[in-house]
Amino acid sequence: MPSGVLTRFFERLKFMRWTKLYPPDVPNDDPDRFIRCQHALHLDFAGLVDRAVAAGWRADEVLTTIIELADNHALMLAANAEIEAALSILKKRH
């Protein structure tokens, strides 16, 4: 691989590490909010995939893993919300 390609790759990684994630600039019910979230996360997401592939993982493994991690995280958030709701009910009873 030509050294210029590697230099550009590492410069891109360095930029992505310092990219600030911007907050939402529209209300919760705005129809563009979902796409704005995608734009906000895209560079960090692409950087994560690039770093994993550079470390030796295949892109399909990385993407499948990210999907599984996202699914597990969503399940964890839902379980935590259920526990918080149950605790709230118990606290009100005592």
Side-chain angles (χ1 to χ4, degrees):
M1 185 177 295
S3 65
V5 172
L6 284 177
T7 301
R8 286 191 304 276
F9 174 74
F10 286 113
E11 284 301 313
R12 184 174 169 216
L13 285 180
K14 187 167 47 172
F15 168 76
M16 284 186 280
R17 263 184 262 150
W18 295 105
T19 301
K20 183 178 178 180
L21 188 63
Y22 62 88
D25 59 352
V26 294
N28 287 339
D29 60 350
D30 188 287
D32 290 336
R33 189 172 169 98
F34 181 70
I35 193 74
R36 288 174 186 258
C37 184
Q38 288 181 33
H39 289 160
L41 297 178
H42 178 76
L43 282 180
D44 288 332
F45 172 79
L48 174 62
V49 173
D50 288 347
R51 288 191 310 276
V53 170
W57 298 101
R58 292 188 329 261
D60 63 316
E61 292 173 314
V62 174
L63 296 173
T64 302
T65 298
I66 289 170
I67 290 166
E68 186 73 19
L69 289 170
D71 188 47
N72 289 340
H73 195 78
L75 291 170
M76 183 262 314
L77 291 175
N80 285 350
E82 288 177 13
I83 290 170
E84 288 297 323
L87 287 173
S88 177
I89 291 168
L90 289 173
K91 287 178 185 176
K92 288 179 183 177
R93 289 183 182 172
H94 288 87

